[in-house]
């Protein structure tokens, strides 16, 4: 097992971007934003609710970026600093079907509570 791999674990809360795919048509870039959690929950309920709240706040930036070009540019600059270029993420294992998930946050961690 790859030691840098970050599988989903109990107490995890994740924002999922699910592509809206119409059979027989090329993907038009549309997607749904979902917030999911993995159980069993072993943390206090208030703590899980803080994580869910943070995921909801992050998800809210998507429609805001569609309306505010300056906000989008600011977020893109910070994203490049934290995560690099999306074109540099190695997705070959997902393409090959040898892995079902992907972690590209190896060099960046967010530490702390509500931001």
């Amino acid at each position: 097992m790859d030691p840098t791999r970050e599988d989903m674990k109990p107490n995890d809360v994740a924002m999922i971007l699910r592509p809206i795919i119409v059979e027989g048509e090329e993907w038009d870039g549309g997607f749904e934003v979902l917030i999911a959690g993995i159980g069993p929950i072993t943390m206090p309920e208030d703590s899980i609710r803080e994580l869910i709240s943070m995921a909801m706040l992050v998800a809210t930036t998507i429609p805001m970026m569609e309306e505010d070009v300056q906000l989008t540019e600011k977020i893109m600059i910070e994203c490049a600093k934290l995560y690099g270029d999306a074109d540099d993420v190695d997705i070959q294992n997902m393409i090959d079907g040898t892995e079902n998930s992907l972690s590209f946050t190896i060099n960046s961690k967010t530490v702390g509570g509500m931001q």
Side-chain angles (χ1 to χ4, degrees):
M1 179 181 227
D2 182 350
T4 61
R5 195 177 153 90
E6 304 232 359
D7 293 324
M8 295 290 289
K9 298 177 179 105
N11 300 311
D12 283 356
V13 174
M15 186 176 75
I16 299 169
L17 306 180
R18 179 168 292 155
I20 299 172
I21 300 173
V22 178
E23 191 171 331
E25 294 183 19
E26 186 173 323
W27 182 54
D28 67 0
F31 57 89
E32 297 176 272
V33 179
L34 307 167
I35 297 173
I38 304 294
I41 295 172
T42 59
M43 296 170 57
E45 185 176 331
D46 288 349
S47 298
I48 292 296
R49 291 194 184 281
E50 284 183 25
L51 291 172
I52 292 168
S53 177
M54 181 56 67
M56 291 169 66
L57 288 171
V58 172
T60 301
T61 64
I62 294 171
M64 291 177 69
M65 288 189 312
E66 291 175 351
E67 297 175 8
D68 187 336
V69 175
Q70 290 178 332
L71 175 65
T72 302
E73 290 172 358
K74 187 175 180 178
I75 290 172
M76 289 175 69
I77 290 167
E78 194 63 25
C79 180
K81 288 179 195 174
L82 293 172
Y83 300 104
D85 190 320
D87 290 336
D88 294 335
V89 175
D90 182 7
I91 62 170
Q92 193 59 48
N93 288 342
M94 288 178 64
I95 293 169
D96 296 341
T98 57
E99 298 289 339
N100 291 326
S101 62
L102 172 67
S103 173
F104 56 93
T105 58
I106 296 165
N107 295 320
S108 60
K109 299 285 183 193
T110 298
V111 178
M114 297 297 286
Q115 304 296 316

